[in-house]
């Protein structure tokens, strides 16, 4: 019989050894491969260190790296030790002799094969599991730092009366430790069982006992540890109920305890904890009793209890206690969920006021108040980017973002002016000749800001630029115009060396050159740095190119979002960084958030979905380490200098415990709020992504009564963008006055419609001016549930179906021109509402939009479609009858209204429009009838147009144009 370590020996087969030369070659290649691998690893580490040091945030790099290394080694060693000790112990407890059986004889060959390499196998197995465990633990550096540095919230959950920090900071770490313990126990159990089986401690087919006493004791202890950990899991699961997500028909996504959780699952978890603890003791008792009988019975009882107590009993409670009177049973828990959710998302102080939605004021008063209520922004930043591009691009290698930004700047008179602004950034795709030198040495930066008034345009419909041309000139004070860091700047550049950069091209075509003088980037004067970056960027020319010399610096990670993310990896970054000219510099302003998904009872939301709308794209998508959150604060305002790339983080929410925790973990990285200059504060605004999250929650959580919340009768929805189907309407910045305000405030606004309906449900605005004492105040104007006031979709339909407006739009589209609708803005006005929508025409020969018309409506009978906002307001409120689309001005000769065919066609069109409105008012809306009415409307308009053309043919050319005017509401615009 084979002994416990070796077995019978047999004839050895000699294998030819490789020659000394081959061994030397193989050893050299191995050493070179190891050195190359080490240098690749070193290059990544070294370039990261240099980048953080260049920004003076090396403490972030060192703290993060130190934490990751510490977790890697501690938990890697713990796992390796646990598995290694159990393998060693199983080997030591092997029986001295193996039983004579076919099973053991087949295992002999494996024992003989392993015998010479037992130590190496042990080291290899423990090293492998240690590396995997260490790498997994290193990825948990955030929850470790939160646990170590956690700051109390000063708020307690309503069920367990523990501080919120326990659920946000402590519980995630305890769960990680528990999962690590389970992994270590299971791996140790598997490894020990295999060793016992290999050396005869466990038998499957051999006669006699299936396990030796030593193997029984060893494995039972491991099983006891596993069951003990399960007991701890049951205890932590009790607290986990406060942050557990589930489906609830009243809210959809629910977080926190419900009636069945508090009255069935919670006591069940406590009972199961006790049972598991007793079962674990029974497993440990096998060290003395040497029998599996009691622990197996205990384990079976635990499993049965888990099924009956943890599964069946809660189902019975839900079926027979909750469902017959669910609203009454769930009311206290719904109330807790409402209060926690509103507090977690900062919407608990929202000011809700009832609003009629229909004004009782006369037309004259409404017209007078329309000017003071809001500075309506006609320049849509999502539409006019091609116009900026066409008029201010100057050279093909410059470009503007597809969506511009809205900010405020002082006029020469000192008043605030809503401004649309964009930077003339480098567009690498437009470089005339693409090569390595041009891409990375010559074309390195953009040049200048371009800004236009948001509330007006020129007579031709062009933006009224307040800052323009190259170099830029206008109302801004002198500033550093070169843009080395921007949203479109994603390639690396090497600057400051012997190779001159293109600064800009003058009016006569001569090229101005420039050498970067900033301190940004990493120096390439050091050969080691050049080698590291050549490897990091996969570009060997960096190592030997003559274009790199003394003073050369490499700039990379150049988008504002990317820079803030890297220096503050614990922040969630807003999707829209926006530029501002501040203190003679261009600064990118980046809003950043602290988040957690561990706020008890607060419902979770998915940031990526909540912040998506018709303006979001790959560049403006919110970035989050954890996409599902149930707590968010705009705790940090960050700036990135467009010239030198310097990053500043400023504390904004001084009470946020999550920010305070991260400040303890990374001391000195966030500057106090008091260091924000007044000139910079003027350009801070309420962030869009936070507003989108809050408005999504307010669709349900504007209701604070549990019974009403449960019924869902007051649920709202964010309406679809009427000009961009399939996407929700984005929020809009504009200066406006809410009913309880005395003057206009720079605000961020949106609308709501009742669920599955298109009439207006509510209007929401938040004060967005950071210098205002009311900054961040959310105001909700709640309309009556059955209000006849139209929402955005119905207003757009009203515009589209008006016969005379539709005919004017048709004429504007003539000559291969296209019509684009701008932002549909909503403004409260004297108890009613005012809708304003700019209409742009993209002429066939211009290929960029020009503002040609303005649509105005109160959502009812007042409607106008004119060349300017002032004229449209006059017409809508009856102050200019000559422009009233329902009352064409008198004219000499025959007009379309004198033509009986045209009159009949217009009557048919009016009836078709009324039919379409009736179809929309049906519950549910009759879209088939609406489609038929729209077809009838088109036929009537075509008939009127043909009759008009025949009438025009019998008049002179000038007279014919006059005849067209009443039908198209004035001059149809040059695009027509």
């Amino acid at each position: 019989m084979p002994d416990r370590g070796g077995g019978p020996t047999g004839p050895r087969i000699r294998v030819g050894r490789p020659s000394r030369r081959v061994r030397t070659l193989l050893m050299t290649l191995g050493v070179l491969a190891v050195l190359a691998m080490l240098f690749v690893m070193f290059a990544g580490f070294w370039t990261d260190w240099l980048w953080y040091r260049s920004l003076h945030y090396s403490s972030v790099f060192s703290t993060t790296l130190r934490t990751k290394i510490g977790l890697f080694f501690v938990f890697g060693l713990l796992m390796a030790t646990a598995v290694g000790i159990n393998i060693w112990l199983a080997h030591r407890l092997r029986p001295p002799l193996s039983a004579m059986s076919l099973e053991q004889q087949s295992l002999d060959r494996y024992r003989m094969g392993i015998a010479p390499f037992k130590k190496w196998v042990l080291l290899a197995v423990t090293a492998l599991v240690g590396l995997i465990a260490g790498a997994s633990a290193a990825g948990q550096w955030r929850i470790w730092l939160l646990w170590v540095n956690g700051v109390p919230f000063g708020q307690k959950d309503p069920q367990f009366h523990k501080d919120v920090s326990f659920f946000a900071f402590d519980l995630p770490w305890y769960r990680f430790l528990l999962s690590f313990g389970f992994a270590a126990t299971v791996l140790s159990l598997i490894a020990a069982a295999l060793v016992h089986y290999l050396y005869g401690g466990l038998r499957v087919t051999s006669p006699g006992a299936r396990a030796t006493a030593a193997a029984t004791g060893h494995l039972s202890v491991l099983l006891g540890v596993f069951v003990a950990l399960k007991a701890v899991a049951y205890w932590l699961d009790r607290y986990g109920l406060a942050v557990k997500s589930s489906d609830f028909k009243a809210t959809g996504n629910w977080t926190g305890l419900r009636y069945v959780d508090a009255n069935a699952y919670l006591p069940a978890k406590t009972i199961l904890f006790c049972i598991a603890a007793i079962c674990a003791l029974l497993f440990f008792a096998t060290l003395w009793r040497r029998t599996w009988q009691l622990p197996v019975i205990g384990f079976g009882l635990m499993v049965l209890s888990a099924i009956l107590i943890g599964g069946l009993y809660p189902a019975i409670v839900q079926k027979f206690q909750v469902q017959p009177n669910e609203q009454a049973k769930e009311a206290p828990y719904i109330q807790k969920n409402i209060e926690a959710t509103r507090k977690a998302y900062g919407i608990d102080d929202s000011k809700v006021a009832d609003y009629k939605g229909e004004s009782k004021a006369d037309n004259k008063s409404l017209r007078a108040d329309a000017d003071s209520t809001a500075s309506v922004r006609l320049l849509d930043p999502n539409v006019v980017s091609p116009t900026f591009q066409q008029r201010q691009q100057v050279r093909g290698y410059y470009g503007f973002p597809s969506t511009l930004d809205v900010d405020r700047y002082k006029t020469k008179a000192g008043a605030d002016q809503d401004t649309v602004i964009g930077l003339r950034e480098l567009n690498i795709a437009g470089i005339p000749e693409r090569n390595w030198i041009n891409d990375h040495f010559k074309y390195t930066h953009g040049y200048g800001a371009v800004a236009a008034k948001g509330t007006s345009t020129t007579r031709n419909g062009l933006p009224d630029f307040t800052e323009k041309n190259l170099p830029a000139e206008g109302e801004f004070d002198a500033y550093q115009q070169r843009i080395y860091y921007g949203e479109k700047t994603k390639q690396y550049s090497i600057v400051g060396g012997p190779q001159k950069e293109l600064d800009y091209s003058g009016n006569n075509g001569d090229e101005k050159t420039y050498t970067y003088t900033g301190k940004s980037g990493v120096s390439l004067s050091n050969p080691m740095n050049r080698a590291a970056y050549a490897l990091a960027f996969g570009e060997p020319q960096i190592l030997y190119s003559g274009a790199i010399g003394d003073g050369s610096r490499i700039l990379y990670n150049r988008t504002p979002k990317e820079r803030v993310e890297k220096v503050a990896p614990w922040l969630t970054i807003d999707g829209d960084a926006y530029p501002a000219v501040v203190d003679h510099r261009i600064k990118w302003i980046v809003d950043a958030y602290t988040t957690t998904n561990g706020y008890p009872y607060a419902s979770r939301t998915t940031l990526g979905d909540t912040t998506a709308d018709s303006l979001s794209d790959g560049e403006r998508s919110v970035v989050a380490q954890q996409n599902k959150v149930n707590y968010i604060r705009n705790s940090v305002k960050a700036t990135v200098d467009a010239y030198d790339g310097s990053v500043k983080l400023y504390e904004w929410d001084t009470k946020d415990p999550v920010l305070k925790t991260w400040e303890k973990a990374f001391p000195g990285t966030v500057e106090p709020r008091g260091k924000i200059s007044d000139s910079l504060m003027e350009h801070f605004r309420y962030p869009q992504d936070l507003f989108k999250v809050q408005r999504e929650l307010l669709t349900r959580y504007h209701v604070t009564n549990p019974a009403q919340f449960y019924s869902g009768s007051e649920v709202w929805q964010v309406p679809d963008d009427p000009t961009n189907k399939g996407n929700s309407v984005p929020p809009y910045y504009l200066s406006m006055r809410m009913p309880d305000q005395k003057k206009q405030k720079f605000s961020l606004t949106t609308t709501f419609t009742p669920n599955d309906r298109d009439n207006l449900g509510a209007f929401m605005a938040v004060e967005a001016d950071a210098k205002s004492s009311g900054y961040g105040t959310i105001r909700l104007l709640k309309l009556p549930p059955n209000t006849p006031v139209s929402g955005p979709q119905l207003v757009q339909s009203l515009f589209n179906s008006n016969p005379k407006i539709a005919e004017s739009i048709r004429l504007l589209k003539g000559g291969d021109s296209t019509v684009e609708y701008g932002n549909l803005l909503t403004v409260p006005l004297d108890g009613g509402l005012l809708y304003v929508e700019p209409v742009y025409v993209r002429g066939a020969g211009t290929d960029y939009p020009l503002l040609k018309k303005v649509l105005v409506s109160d959502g009812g009978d007042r409607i106008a479609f004119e060349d300017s906002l002032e004229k449209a307001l006059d017409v809508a409120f009856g102050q200019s009858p000559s422009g009233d689309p329902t009352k064409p001005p008198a004219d000499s000769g025959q007009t379309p209204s004198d033509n009986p065919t045209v009159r009949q066609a217009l009557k048919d069109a009016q009836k078709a429009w009324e039919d379409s409105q009736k179809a929309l008012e049906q519950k549910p809306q009759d879209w088939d009838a609406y489609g038929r009415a729209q077809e009838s409307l088109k036929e009537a308009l075509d008939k009127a147009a043909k009759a008009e053309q025949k009438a025009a043919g019998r008049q002179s050319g000038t007279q014919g144009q006059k005849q067209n005017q009443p039908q198209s509401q004035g001059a149809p615009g040059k695009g027509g």
Side-chain angles (χ1 to χ4, degrees), residues 298-503:
F299 187 78
L301 289 174
M302 187 182 75
V303 173
L304 182 62
S305 300
I307 296 172
L308 296 178
I309 302 175
L312 185 60
Y313 174 62
I316 293 173
V317 172
Q318 178 68 24
K319 180 70 175 178
F320 296 102
Q321 290 190 33
V322 178
Q323 287 186 3
N325 191 17
E326 189 172 47
Q327 179 176 320
K329 293 289 187 182
E330 300 290 10
Y333 304 96
I334 292 175
Q335 186 66 50
K336 295 174 184 178
N337 176 265
I338 292 173
E339 292 174 357
T341 302
R342 288 172 61 88
K343 186 172 292 185
Y345 290 94
I347 57 178
D348 51 326
D349 292 329
S350 302
K351 296 183 177 180
V352 182
D354 291 331
Y355 195 70
K356 294 180 179 180
E358 292 182 326
S359 177
K360 301 298 183 182
D362 58 69
N363 282 345
K364 187 174 182 180
S365 299
L366 288 171
R367 177 64 187 92
D369 291 342
D371 291 329
S372 61
T373 297
S375 298
V376 178
R377 178 170 47 75
L378 298 177
L379 209 61
D380 186 346
N382 190 44
V383 174
V384 299
S385 178
T387 308
F388 272 55
Q389 187 84 358
Q390 185 68 28
R391 306 292 295 190
Q392 289 295 316
Q393 181 186 21
V394 183
R395 294 290 184 269
Y397 44 81
Y398 293 129
F400 292 92
S402 58
T403 299
L404 303 175
D405 290 290
V406 178
D407 201 350
R408 297 137 295 145
Y409 286 88
K410 297 289 186 182
T411 64
K412 293 181 179 179
D416 286 333
Q417 168 70 55
D418 289 2
T419 302
V420 175
I421 185 171
L423 299 187
R424 190 185 289 108
E425 294 189 48
L426 178 67
N427 175 25
I428 193 170
I431 295 175
E433 183 178 350
R434 300 291 303 276
N435 55 57
W436 188 64
I437 293 295
N438 281 349
D439 287 358
H440 301 288
F441 291 82
K442 183 176 181 180
Y443 296 90
T444 58
H445 59 277
Y447 208 101
V450 177
K453 296 178 181 178
T455 54
S456 63
T457 60
T458 67
R459 294 183 62 184
N460 295 327
L462 287 167
D464 187 359
F465 291 110
T466 57
E467 187 77 8
K468 58 183 179 180
N469 298 338
L470 182 66
E473 56 187 12
E475 296 183 3
F476 293 168
D477 294 334
Y479 64 97
Q480 172 57 264
Q481 298 186 24
R482 297 174 181 89
I483 303 162
Y484 283 87
Y485 296 87
E487 290 180 305
K488 297 173 71 69
T489 313
K490 298 179 180 180
Q491 76 286 356
Y492 71 88
S493 290
I494 298 175
V495 299
Q499 176 67 45
K500 294 291 185 180
E501 307 165 45
L502 172 66
D503 203 21

Side-chain angles (χ1 to χ4, degrees), residues 908-909 911-917 919 927-939:
D908 294 341
K911 184 179 183 305
W913 177 74
E914 292 172 355
D915 290 343
S916 68
Q917 291 302 107
W927 292 108
D928 291 336
Y930 178 79
R932 291 193 297 271
Q934 289 293 304
E935 292 177 1
S936 300
L937 175 62
K938 183 179 183 301
E939 292 174 1

